Amino acid sequence: MKLYEYEAKSIFSSYGIPIPSGQEVTTPSQAKEVAEELGGKVVLKAQILVGGRGKAGGIKFAENPEQAEKVAEELFSLSIKGLPVETLLVEEMLEIKRELYLGLTIDRGRGQSVLMMSSEGGVDIEEVAERDPEKIVTYHLNPLQRFYPFQAREILQRLGFHGKLINPLSQILLKLSRVFQERDAEIAEINPLVLTPEGVIAADAKLIVDDDALFRQKAFQVQEEDLPYVELEGHVGCIVNGAGLAMSTMDTLKELGGEPANFLDIGGGASAEVMEMALKRVVLHSGVKVILINILGGITRCDEIAKGILKVLGDMEVPVVVRLRGTNEEEGLKLLSDAGVNVESSMIKAAQSAIALGREGSD
Ligand code: GDP
Ligand code: MN
């Protein structure tokens, strides 16, 4: 599955990779509005799933919102390599000092992931490989180990980077390699990764997810459903419904000495399907050692929630603790306890149990 640039950027950004401010639009007047919000000078980028879009006329610049509207109209009338342009990404114009290349893919010959980085980006990496092979560093990743900061620094030093650039660049290498691994990617690429006076920014983004992994990448649907998801630094993954319950769950965890790793708010009236996606999304975060599900049934039905949990429980490598109250509570609790799920009656007990199980998991 190939993702659009704006989708890939939003995933990269959720991992902490800096991206330009911007918004996807489907009409010229929206493009004008976004350009106004961004201060006038913008880049308009056709969202199509083919390479070489810049060369094919799919990237245009505008000096002010009126021009952005006109340029958007031109872009919407194009078809690039046979594909109609239906969405544009309107972004702040970056002041680019230098363009780099960073990508991860699979080296099928060696059966390993490989990271490639070049001090010359923006152009086809194949061209650089032919002309100046020494400007590309190729680094195979050990599938049994994580990718360590010292390895990122080694790559950067080989390319001749030093000083203040090392830190932000190595952060981006580490984060992109996490995206690559956790999202079952075939390709995760930033070309160009740009140096600007504001820092290092991913000016373009490409992400292709292995189709054979889509069954466990239901997480992608969370984004489509627009469910609020936030990443934090602790060990306890949290699934809740409603912003108030999210806050009280996190306060309770912290009060008892735990730290949330992330939280996902499944909103009101969530189906078993949404609950299933939520679990698959939350567990993707590598910090998660245990999952705490705290649901208050109103329009949400506890039996639906239980069914969603049971669908994925067998695939979960971390323990799950559930607290369910409200509509159809008895049915939901029965389904869960019959399946041997850790169920707690109060939020405090559930948080305590999650913290304890999370500690065991990290030893
Ligand atoms: P691609 O052709 O589909 O790979 O599109 P990219 O997003 O990589 O953009 C192509 C080129 O447009 C980049 O290499 C940059 O040189 C240029 N470009 C893209 N965004 C900006 C920007 O914000 N400011 C400037 N000055 N150039 C940009
Ligand atoms: Mn590009």
Side-chain angles (χ1 to χ4, degrees):
M1 180 173 82
K2 274 188 180 180
L3 302 191
Y4 286 101
E5 177 191 8
Y6 71 89
E7 295 173 319
K9 276 185 168 156
S10 124
I11 290 171
F12 289 7
S13 169
S14 74
Y15 279 77
I17 296 172
I19 59 164
S21 316
Q23 176 76 45
E24 68 273 15
V25 303
T26 52
T27 65
S29 65
Q30 280 177 348
K32 184 181 176 195
E33 275 169 38
V34 173
E36 267 158 15
E37 282 163 28
L38 294 173
K41 269 191 160 187
V42 291
V43 187
L44 297 104
K45 311 176 82 177
Q47 298 298 290
I48 43 165
L49 298 174
V50 291
R53 172 184 55 165
K55 281 186 202 154
I59 307 236
K60 294 208 175 336
F61 301 92
E63 292 295 320
N64 53 56
E66 289 69 35
Q67 205 184 349
E69 185 173 19
K70 258 181 58 198
V71 167
E73 219 161 293
E74 287 166 32
L75 283 169
F76 280 124
S77 70
L78 286 182
S79 82
I80 296 175
K81 301 189 179 178
L83 295 171
V85 178
E86 286 165 350
T87 308
L88 301 179
L89 177 58
V90 181
E91 286 184 334
E92 63 174 318
M93 178 107 70
L94 301 171
E95 194 188 320
I96 299 179
K97 302 275 186 226
R98 201 170 153 193
E99 302 192 325
L100 317 174
Y101 172 91
L102 175 62
L104 285 115
T105 187
I106 310 245
D107 180 342
R108 294 187 194 274
R110 286 185 46 167
Q112 277 182 303
S113 308
V114 59
L115 182 149
M116 282 171 295
M117 184 163 191
S118 169
S119 49
E120 229 175 83
V123 287
D124 287 338
I125 196 67
E126 291 82 1
E127 270 175 37
V128 183
E130 254 172 49
R131 196 167 20 91
D132 296 303
E134 77 287 353
K135 285 193 174 149
I136 301 180
V137 168
T138 302
Y139 199 96
H140 285 87
L141 307 186
N142 183 334
L144 301 179
Q145 278 178 0
R146 68 185 190 90
F147 178 54
Y148 289 99
F150 80 86
Q151 296 172 301
R153 289 195 295 271
E154 190 188 317
I155 294 168
L156 294 168
Q157 273 150 12
R158 276 209 246 157
L159 285 165
F161 291 106
H162 53 263
K164 279 192 195 146
L165 276 174
I166 295 282
N167 248 335
L169 283 175
S170 64
Q171 282 297 319
I172 293 174
L173 264 64
L174 290 162
K175 286 168 178 165
L176 192 67
S177 63
R178 261 188 65 207
V179 172
F180 182 77
Q181 203 202 3
E182 293 180 9
R183 298 310 183 107
D184 287 312
E186 284 175 355
I187 294 179
E189 190 181 78
I190 304 176
N191 187 26
L193 177 64
V194 300
L195 309 187
T196 77
E198 280 77 49
V200 187
I201 303 176
D204 192 7
K206 181 169 175 181
L207 186 61
I208 302 180
V209 178
D210 185 346
D211 286 335
D212 290 332
L214 286 179
F215 74 96
R216 63 177 180 193
Q217 291 294 348
K218 272 222 155 139
F220 284 119
Q221 297 171 9
V222 161
Q223 207 175 316
E224 268 161 33
E225 301 261 333
D226 230 4
L227 300 177
Y229 172 74
V230 175
E231 285 206 341
L232 302 156
E233 317 259 83
H235 297 304
V236 185
C238 302
I239 299 173
V240 296
N241 60 335
L245 194 58
M247 283 192 272
S248 46
T249 305
M250 259 160 291
D251 284 351
T252 306
L253 268 176
K254 285 197 168 233
E255 195 63 35
L256 296 170
E259 286 290 336
N262 54 9
F263 75 85
L264 199 155
D265 176 356
I266 59 173
S271 61
E273 180 95 66
V274 167
M275 184 62 222
E276 183 188 351
M277 282 179 217
L279 264 170
K280 288 189 166 165
R281 175 62 191 98
V282 164
V283 79
L284 266 189
H285 179 26
S286 51
V288 171
K289 301 286 181 255
V290 57
I291 295 176
L292 171 59
I293 300 172
N294 188 14
I295 300 293
L296 197 65
I299 49 169
T300 307
R301 287 170 36 194
C302 293
D303 55 326
E304 274 291 305
I305 296 300
K307 282 178 196 154
I309 296 170
L310 294 183
K311 273 195 193 178
V312 267
L313 199 65
D315 301 334
M316 289 288 138
E317 281 166 12
V318 299
V320 175
V321 179
V322 186
R323 184 240 180 179
L324 279 179
R325 293 311 291 269
T327 312
N328 291 5
E329 178 180 325
E330 288 83 40
E331 291 91 322
L333 290 175
K334 177 156 185 351
L335 286 170
L336 293 175
S337 43
D338 285 354
V341 180
N342 301 305
V343 180
E344 296 290 351
S345 55
S346 80
M347 174 150 78
I348 291 181
K349 282 190 188 148
Q352 279 167 337
S353 162
I355 292 167
L357 288 165
R359 285 213 182 100
E360 283 168 26
S362 26
D363 291 340

